[in-house]
Structures are given as C-alpha cells and as structure tokens.
Amino acid sequence: MKPIRKSEVLRYLGYKKHMDISSETDQLVDECIEDLKKVIQPSMTYQRFPLIRHDGILDISGMEISSQSLSKNLENCEEVYLFAATAGIGIDRMIKRAELTNMAKAAIYQAAGAEIVECICDELNEKLAAKVKEEGYFLKPRFSPGYGDTTLELQKDFERLLHMSEIGIHLNASLLMVPSKSVTAFIGITKQKQKRQSGCASCDRLDCPARRK
C-alpha cells in the first residue's frame, strides 16, 4: 500500500496548511496511524466493461445511468473500469471502541481511515493506468456513485457486477458500504491524454466535509 500521508489525515481533521498543531495532538495522530496500520486488510476487485451511449443514457453491462456529471467525466470513452476497494472491517472496530472511551482518537481514526482507503485506491489506479498505457490509452479521474447527479442506487449494480461480497464489502439498507472505509468508482478509459486534475471535481471521497456543502 502507498504511504499514509499525515498531511491528508490532518486535512480531514480540519487543519489547514501552516496551521499550528499542538505537540500532544501531533503525537496522538502518529499513534492512531500506527494503531490502524496493524488492522488494515486491503482488498480490491475490478472489471473492464464496454461503455454504450444511447438517448442520453450510459449503459455499462446493463447498468443504465442518466447523469450529466458522469457523462461529462466519461466523455470520449468507449470502455470503463468499475472497481471496489476496502481497507477492511478492522478500522470500523477501532472507531467504535474509541467512541466509547476517547472521542479524539475516534475522530483521528475516522480521518486516518479515509486517507488509508484513498491510498489503496491510488495504488489500484496506478496499476490500471499502467495496464492501459501499454495499449495506448489513458484513465479519466475516478468517479464514485453518489457524486454529482449520480445516485447511490448504482451501488446495487456495482455489487452485482463486481461480486463485492467476495472481498468483504456489503451494502446496508441505506446503500452505504460496510466496512465504511470502502470505495466504489468508475474510471473511464480514453485515447486522449489527461491533464492532472485536483479538487472536488476529481475526488471520490464521500466522507469529505467539502462534499457535503
């Protein structure tokens, strides 16, 4: 797995660049990251599908999607990867325990868990980018169900197409994933070289505060 970025953990906690952080908090963040390293169980699955467009609808192996934001993301794509990745249930257990005894630790576990699953996704993204590069293709920024004008109902199709239960991911009644530190996403495959993107438009982090504004 790629190295956990402490700066990202702090960002999730609401610390901005150059903002002072107490030595006690700094040390607690380090301790929490080390705690989670012991329980991480990365797992992932992905498949490549043709992308068909008809009457404004995106069709991916029977998954029919009406979404302007996803359609824009997948512009100039005739194929797409669907993937699911998780950091495992251990992080959720650590968060629940901490919520009973130490809310500061619980908050840090939440933030560090978000960064950990992002690292897992980044590693998979790089693997898939290397695969398609050999064919002369590039990858679009990943795009998760629930972002923009897409619906979480699409999670059911991810579950159907990727058999997510085989890597330990299940959907609850609200279509949220268990373990909570899990991600599903579309990644478009295109012949057009991509400019590096940053910010919310290229982000798949459903638990980021900026996504809820």
Side-chain angles (χ1 to χ4, degrees):
M1 192 183 79
K2 296 174 73 67
I4 298 168
R5 298 163 295 188
K6 185 177 178 179
S7 60
E8 287 296 289
V9 176
L10 292 172
R11 186 176 71 83
Y12 274 119
L13 288 168
Y15 289 92
K16 297 180 181 179
K17 286 183 178 180
H18 311 302
M19 184 181 291
D20 289 336
I21 178 172
S22 69
S23 59
E24 292 82 2
T25 299
D26 190 58
Q27 182 178 348
L28 187 59
V29 170
D30 288 337
E31 290 176 2
C32 289
I33 290 173
E34 291 304 312
D35 288 344
L36 294 189
K37 284 181 179 180
K38 299 172 185 176
V39 300
I40 300 169
Q41 293 180 305
S43 192
M44 59 197 74
T45 183
Y46 61 90
Q47 286 196 53
R48 185 171 176 171
F49 297 97
L51 171 63
I52 301 171
R53 297 174 184 265
H54 55 83
D55 301 323
I57 301 294
L58 304 174
D59 187 333
I60 303 170
S61 193
M63 181 196 308
E64 295 191 338
I65 310 160
S66 177
S67 165
Q68 291 184 355
S69 51
L70 181 58
S71 182
K72 182 178 179 181
N73 176 272
L74 297 178
E75 194 173 20
N76 300 313
C77 296
E78 295 182 356
E79 290 183 287
V80 61
Y81 278 116
L82 303 188
F83 86 78
T86 182
I89 198 65
I91 295 177
D92 286 358
R93 290 172 179 158
M94 295 288 284
I95 292 169
K96 287 182 179 180
R97 289 173 192 159
E99 285 174 344
L100 298 175
T101 59
N102 190 324
M103 286 304 297
K105 272 194 170 184
I108 296 170
Y109 286 153
Q110 284 281 7
E115 163 60 6
I116 287 167
V117 75
E118 189 70 9
C119 290
I120 294 168
C121 291
D122 285 347
E123 184 174 39
L124 177 57
N125 221 130
E126 290 179 6
K127 176 182 176 180
L128 298 180
K131 277 179 174 284
V132 300
K133 185 178 181 180
E134 295 176 354
E135 306 169 31
Y137 288 94
F138 302 92
L139 295 183
K140 291 291 191 84
R142 55 184 184 255
F143 190 110
S144 287
Y147 184 73
D149 61 352
T150 59
T151 171
L152 279 178
E153 286 287 327
L154 297 175
Q155 297 284 49
K156 295 179 181 179
D157 290 292
F158 273 80
E159 187 176 50
R160 171 178 62 86
L161 293 169
L162 296 181
H163 309 289
M164 297 192 310
S165 62
E166 294 180 4
I167 62 166
I169 300 177
H170 304 275
L171 301 179
N172 65 19
S174 301
L175 300 179
L176 298 177
M177 288 178 285
V178 180
S180 66
K181 302 312 176 187
S182 303
V183 169
T184 54
F186 303 89
I187 310 180
I189 303 168
T190 179
K191 281 283 189 182
Q192 296 189 359
K193 189 172 183 178
Q194 299 296 293
K195 295 180 180 178
R196 185 172 182 177
Q197 297 194 27
S198 61
C200 291
S202 64
C203 180
D204 57 21
R205 301 177 179 184
L206 294 177
D207 53 358
C208 178
R211 295 282 296 273
R212 297 195 289 269
K213 289 181 180 179

